[in-house]
Amino acid sequence: MAWCGAPRAARRLLPLLPRCAAGRRRIASCIDPSAGLTEEQKEFQSVALDFAAKEMAPHMAEWDEKEIFPVDTMRKAAQLGFGGIYVKPDVGGSGLSRLDTSIIFEALSTGCTSTTAYMSIHNMCVWMIDTFGNEEQRRRFCPSLCSMEQFASYCLTEPGSGSDAASLLTSARRKGDTYVLNGSKAFISGGGDADVYVVMCRTGGPGPKGISCLVLEKGTPGLSFGKKERKVGWNSQPTRAVIFEDCVVPVSNRLGAEGQGFSIAMKGLNGGRINIGAAHASVLLAQEHLTVRKQFGEPLANNQYLQFRLAEMATCLVAARLMVRNAARALQEELGDAPVLCSMAKLFATDACFEICNQALQMHGGYGYLKDYAVQQFVRDVRVHQILEGTNEVMRMIVARSLLQG
């Protein structure tokens, strides 16, 4: 089998995932991620689960330990249509819905949360070009991005502007038919390795209306990168600062009109990366561990307290999944309250899923703290989801503002 030589951390997960992808024999119907899906959705979910089990899970621990950016594996995923899932077919995309996309990313993240998170960023960038770019831009950039021949990075955050993204300082000064960029971006996933950078920069006055969106290509004079950051998790994707020093970019590389960049950036983030898959995998790992591990002469599964905790984990998992899918539907249908529903889903799902993974580690006892066990990697990889793409504190502000302003 393809995973015979896999690290032990991956092997702890592998006995569960292939069965989940094929017969789902180990998944109780109450947490079955295929519940309520159409036959077509079940088919591509099964393909994604199978890919996660065979191509990602066997290597997850090694990618984490050696900080490997698994380019070849992602290109295999792109051959299945996962490089531009919700991008239009005429430029190489799969043309699927946001709900379909959430189903696929949930499945893939059971194999490696970190790699799937980068793939979701890449998909978001391609969608932004596909949606807000003109025909020349769509046909120039999207085909090679959908095939993952090239990779993309999203550049919004700066050293001095995180949650307050509208205060960004990276400037783009108009000079004839070009812009001259100066400034820097921080914490950029794929930075230095990606080929295409979707950059939010200031072309006008202060505030969100002064921000525009430019597409830069690696190798552009004046574009450079900081050192590779050392992170707690997400180690299968490189993170670096992206630096612009008198970087000249054609005006023809601007997405949309001047001043539209902040709106484009926020619309991209509405469909951001929420990985239910890590929590789902962690519930399965906890379930398996409680069944086989014995203490005080009997399986841990006989302990009522642990039974209750497992029940709470499963309940939160399903609730999070339903919230994400509800938000995805609202986003696809362009409902007016879609941004708020996405904020609710991001807030609840990332908090709940971290707690699920963390509780699964606790149930493993000392074993859960060993890198031989996959559960610790899920904990490390999902923790950052409560911070990125708008901290969960900002999500609370968005929801509260919607409620109080009626």
Side-chain angles (χ1 to χ4, degrees), residues 250-286:
V251 170
S252 60
N253 279 28
R254 187 187 68 221
L255 297 183
E258 278 199 2
Q260 194 181 354
F262 191 75
S263 173
I264 292 173
M266 294 302 104
K267 287 178 180 177
L269 292 180
N270 282 337
R273 47 194 182 270
I274 303 171
N275 276 293
I276 307 298
H280 182 83
S282 294
V283 169
L284 296 182
L285 290 169

Short mmCIF file of all heavy atoms in Angstrom, two decimals, residues 250-286:
data_model
loop_
_atom_site.label_atom_id
_atom_site.label_comp_id
_atom_site.label_asym_id
_atom_site.label_seq_id
_atom_site.Cartn_x
_atom_site.Cartn_y
_atom_site.Cartn_z
N PRO A 250 2.01 46.91 -14.06
CA PRO A 250 1.14 47.54 -15.06
C PRO A 250 -0.27 47.82 -14.52
O PRO A 250 -0.80 47.03 -13.73
CB PRO A 250 1.07 46.49 -16.18
CG PRO A 250 2.24 45.59 -15.96
CD PRO A 250 2.49 45.58 -14.49
N VAL A 251 -0.85 48.90 -14.94
CA VAL A 251 -2.23 49.21 -14.56
C VAL A 251 -3.16 48.09 -15.04
O VAL A 251 -4.19 47.80 -14.42
CB VAL A 251 -2.66 50.57 -15.16
CG1 VAL A 251 -4.16 50.80 -14.97
CG2 VAL A 251 -1.87 51.70 -14.51
N SER A 252 -2.77 47.42 -16.12
CA SER A 252 -3.58 46.32 -16.65
C SER A 252 -3.65 45.13 -15.71
O SER A 252 -4.44 44.20 -15.93
CB SER A 252 -3.01 45.86 -18.00
OG SER A 252 -1.67 45.42 -17.87
N ASN A 253 -2.87 45.14 -14.63
CA ASN A 253 -2.90 44.07 -13.62
C ASN A 253 -3.84 44.40 -12.46
O ASN A 253 -3.90 43.65 -11.49
CB ASN A 253 -1.50 43.80 -13.07
CG ASN A 253 -0.68 42.91 -13.99
OD1 ASN A 253 -0.90 42.90 -15.20
ND2 ASN A 253 0.25 42.17 -13.43
N ARG A 254 -4.55 45.51 -12.54
CA ARG A 254 -5.49 45.86 -11.47
C ARG A 254 -6.81 45.12 -11.66
O ARG A 254 -7.35 45.08 -12.76
CB ARG A 254 -5.74 47.38 -11.48
CG ARG A 254 -6.57 47.86 -10.28
CD ARG A 254 -6.93 49.33 -10.43
NE ARG A 254 -7.88 49.54 -11.52
CZ ARG A 254 -7.82 50.56 -12.39
NH1 ARG A 254 -6.86 51.46 -12.29
NH2 ARG A 254 -8.71 50.66 -13.36
N LEU A 255 -7.30 44.51 -10.57
CA LEU A 255 -8.61 43.88 -10.59
C LEU A 255 -9.67 44.92 -10.25
O LEU A 255 -9.57 45.59 -9.22
CB LEU A 255 -8.69 42.73 -9.58
CG LEU A 255 -7.75 41.53 -9.79
CD1 LEU A 255 -8.02 40.46 -8.73
CD2 LEU A 255 -7.88 40.94 -11.18
N GLY A 256 -10.67 45.06 -11.09
CA GLY A 256 -11.73 46.02 -10.83
C GLY A 256 -11.24 47.45 -10.95
O GLY A 256 -10.17 47.73 -11.50
N ALA A 257 -12.03 48.36 -10.41
CA ALA A 257 -11.70 49.78 -10.48
C ALA A 257 -10.84 50.19 -9.29
O ALA A 257 -10.74 49.48 -8.29
CB ALA A 257 -12.99 50.60 -10.48
N GLU A 258 -10.21 51.37 -9.42
CA GLU A 258 -9.50 51.93 -8.27
C GLU A 258 -10.50 52.15 -7.13
O GLU A 258 -11.62 52.60 -7.36
CB GLU A 258 -8.82 53.25 -8.62
CG GLU A 258 -7.49 53.09 -9.31
CD GLU A 258 -6.64 54.36 -9.24
OE1 GLU A 258 -7.08 55.34 -8.61
OE2 GLU A 258 -5.53 54.36 -9.81
N GLY A 259 -10.08 51.80 -5.91
CA GLY A 259 -10.93 51.97 -4.75
C GLY A 259 -11.84 50.79 -4.47
O GLY A 259 -12.54 50.77 -3.45
N GLN A 260 -11.79 49.78 -5.32
CA GLN A 260 -12.66 48.61 -5.14
C GLN A 260 -11.93 47.49 -4.39
O GLN A 260 -12.53 46.47 -4.04
CB GLN A 260 -13.12 48.10 -6.51
CG GLN A 260 -14.28 47.11 -6.46
CD GLN A 260 -14.69 46.62 -7.85
OE1 GLN A 260 -14.19 47.09 -8.88
NE2 GLN A 260 -15.61 45.67 -7.88
N GLY A 261 -10.66 47.67 -4.10
CA GLY A 261 -9.84 46.59 -3.57
C GLY A 261 -10.29 46.04 -2.23
O GLY A 261 -10.25 44.83 -2.00
N PHE A 262 -10.72 46.92 -1.33
CA PHE A 262 -11.11 46.43 0.00
C PHE A 262 -12.37 45.58 -0.10
O PHE A 262 -12.49 44.54 0.56
CB PHE A 262 -11.34 47.60 0.96
CG PHE A 262 -11.48 47.19 2.39
CD1 PHE A 262 -10.37 46.80 3.13
CD2 PHE A 262 -12.72 47.16 3.01
CE1 PHE A 262 -10.48 46.40 4.45
CE2 PHE A 262 -12.85 46.76 4.34
CZ PHE A 262 -11.73 46.38 5.06
N SER A 263 -13.30 46.00 -0.93
CA SER A 263 -14.52 45.21 -1.14
C SER A 263 -14.18 43.84 -1.74
O SER A 263 -14.73 42.82 -1.31
CB SER A 263 -15.46 45.97 -2.08
OG SER A 263 -16.57 45.16 -2.42
N ILE A 264 -13.27 43.82 -2.69
CA ILE A 264 -12.83 42.55 -3.29
C ILE A 264 -12.19 41.66 -2.24
O ILE A 264 -12.46 40.46 -2.16
CB ILE A 264 -11.85 42.83 -4.45
CG1 ILE A 264 -12.57 43.52 -5.61
CG2 ILE A 264 -11.18 41.54 -4.92
CD1 ILE A 264 -11.64 43.98 -6.72
N ALA A 265 -11.34 42.26 -1.41
CA ALA A 265 -10.64 41.50 -0.36
C ALA A 265 -11.62 40.87 0.61
O ALA A 265 -11.50 39.70 1.00
CB ALA A 265 -9.67 42.40 0.39
N MET A 266 -12.63 41.65 1.04
CA MET A 266 -13.60 41.15 2.01
C MET A 266 -14.49 40.06 1.41
O MET A 266 -14.83 39.07 2.07
CB MET A 266 -14.46 42.29 2.53
CG MET A 266 -13.70 43.32 3.37
SD MET A 266 -12.85 42.62 4.82
CE MET A 266 -11.14 42.60 4.24
N LYS A 267 -14.86 40.22 0.14
CA LYS A 267 -15.68 39.20 -0.51
C LYS A 267 -14.91 37.88 -0.64
O LYS A 267 -15.49 36.80 -0.56
CB LYS A 267 -16.16 39.69 -1.87
CG LYS A 267 -17.24 40.75 -1.76
CD LYS A 267 -17.68 41.29 -3.12
CE LYS A 267 -18.76 42.34 -2.95
NZ LYS A 267 -19.16 42.95 -4.25
N GLY A 268 -13.60 37.99 -0.84
CA GLY A 268 -12.79 36.78 -0.86
C GLY A 268 -12.79 36.09 0.50
O GLY A 268 -12.96 34.88 0.60
N LEU A 269 -12.64 36.88 1.56
CA LEU A 269 -12.56 36.32 2.91
C LEU A 269 -13.88 35.73 3.39
O LEU A 269 -13.89 34.84 4.24
CB LEU A 269 -12.10 37.39 3.90
CG LEU A 269 -10.66 37.88 3.75
CD1 LEU A 269 -10.35 38.94 4.81
CD2 LEU A 269 -9.67 36.74 3.84
N ASN A 270 -15.01 36.20 2.84
CA ASN A 270 -16.29 35.65 3.27
C ASN A 270 -16.35 34.14 3.07
O ASN A 270 -17.03 33.43 3.81
CB ASN A 270 -17.44 36.32 2.51
CG ASN A 270 -17.77 37.69 3.05
OD1 ASN A 270 -17.48 38.00 4.20
ND2 ASN A 270 -18.35 38.54 2.22
N GLY A 271 -15.66 33.67 2.06
CA GLY A 271 -15.64 32.22 1.82
C GLY A 271 -14.37 31.58 2.34
O GLY A 271 -13.87 30.63 1.77
N GLY A 272 -13.87 32.08 3.44
CA GLY A 272 -12.55 31.69 3.94
C GLY A 272 -12.44 30.29 4.47
O GLY A 272 -13.34 29.48 4.40
N ARG A 273 -11.28 30.00 5.02
CA ARG A 273 -10.93 28.63 5.35
C ARG A 273 -11.42 28.23 6.75
O ARG A 273 -10.90 28.68 7.76
CB ARG A 273 -9.43 28.42 5.21
CG ARG A 273 -8.58 29.51 5.87
CD ARG A 273 -7.15 29.37 5.37
NE ARG A 273 -6.26 30.33 5.98
CZ ARG A 273 -6.02 31.53 5.48
NH1 ARG A 273 -6.63 31.94 4.42
NH2 ARG A 273 -5.17 32.33 6.08
N ILE A 274 -12.41 27.38 6.77
CA ILE A 274 -12.93 26.83 8.02
C ILE A 274 -12.84 25.31 7.90
O ILE A 274 -13.54 24.71 7.10
CB ILE A 274 -14.40 27.25 8.26
CG1 ILE A 274 -14.51 28.77 8.27
CG2 ILE A 274 -14.92 26.67 9.55
CD1 ILE A 274 -15.93 29.27 8.28
N ASN A 275 -11.94 24.71 8.64
CA ASN A 275 -11.67 23.28 8.47
C ASN A 275 -12.41 22.44 9.49
O ASN A 275 -11.93 22.21 10.60
CB ASN A 275 -10.16 23.01 8.53
CG ASN A 275 -9.51 23.24 7.19
OD1 ASN A 275 -9.76 22.52 6.24
ND2 ASN A 275 -8.70 24.28 7.11
N ILE A 276 -13.58 21.97 9.13
CA ILE A 276 -14.33 21.05 9.97
C ILE A 276 -13.67 19.67 9.95
O ILE A 276 -13.80 18.89 10.88
CB ILE A 276 -15.79 20.93 9.46
CG1 ILE A 276 -16.42 22.31 9.33
CG2 ILE A 276 -16.63 20.06 10.38
CD1 ILE A 276 -16.53 23.06 10.62
N GLY A 277 -12.95 19.39 8.86
CA GLY A 277 -12.36 18.06 8.68
C GLY A 277 -11.44 17.63 9.80
O GLY A 277 -11.41 16.46 10.18
N ALA A 278 -10.65 18.55 10.33
CA ALA A 278 -9.74 18.20 11.42
C ALA A 278 -10.53 17.76 12.65
O ALA A 278 -10.14 16.83 13.35
CB ALA A 278 -8.86 19.40 11.77
N ALA A 279 -11.64 18.44 12.92
CA ALA A 279 -12.48 18.07 14.06
C ALA A 279 -13.13 16.72 13.83
O ALA A 279 -13.23 15.89 14.74
CB ALA A 279 -13.54 19.14 14.30
N HIS A 280 -13.59 16.49 12.60
CA HIS A 280 -14.20 15.20 12.28
C HIS A 280 -13.20 14.07 12.49
O HIS A 280 -13.50 13.05 13.12
CB HIS A 280 -14.69 15.21 10.83
CG HIS A 280 -15.37 13.93 10.42
ND1 HIS A 280 -16.69 13.67 10.69
CD2 HIS A 280 -14.89 12.84 9.78
CE1 HIS A 280 -17.01 12.48 10.23
NE2 HIS A 280 -15.93 11.96 9.67
N ALA A 281 -11.99 14.25 11.96
CA ALA A 281 -10.95 13.24 12.13
C ALA A 281 -10.61 13.04 13.60
O ALA A 281 -10.37 11.90 14.05
CB ALA A 281 -9.69 13.64 11.35
N SER A 282 -10.61 14.12 14.38
CA SER A 282 -10.28 14.03 15.80
C SER A 282 -11.35 13.27 16.59
O SER A 282 -11.05 12.53 17.53
CB SER A 282 -10.09 15.43 16.40
OG SER A 282 -8.95 16.06 15.83
N VAL A 283 -12.62 13.45 16.21
CA VAL A 283 -13.69 12.68 16.85
C VAL A 283 -13.50 11.19 16.57
O VAL A 283 -13.63 10.35 17.48
CB VAL A 283 -15.08 13.15 16.35
CG1 VAL A 283 -16.17 12.18 16.80
CG2 VAL A 283 -15.39 14.55 16.88
N LEU A 284 -13.15 10.86 15.33
CA LEU A 284 -12.91 9.45 15.00
C LEU A 284 -11.72 8.88 15.77
O LEU A 284 -11.76 7.74 16.26
CB LEU A 284 -12.67 9.29 13.50
CG LEU A 284 -13.84 9.65 12.57
CD1 LEU A 284 -13.44 9.39 11.12
CD2 LEU A 284 -15.09 8.86 12.93
N LEU A 285 -10.66 9.68 15.89
CA LEU A 285 -9.49 9.23 16.65
C LEU A 285 -9.83 9.02 18.12
O LEU A 285 -9.39 8.04 18.74
CB LEU A 285 -8.36 10.26 16.51
CG LEU A 285 -7.69 10.35 15.13
CD1 LEU A 285 -6.78 11.56 15.06
CD2 LEU A 285 -6.91 9.08 14.82
N ALA A 286 -10.59 9.95 18.70
CA ALA A 286 -11.00 9.82 20.11
C ALA A 286 -11.88 8.59 20.30
O ALA A 286 -11.73 7.83 21.26
CB ALA A 286 -11.73 11.08 20.56
#
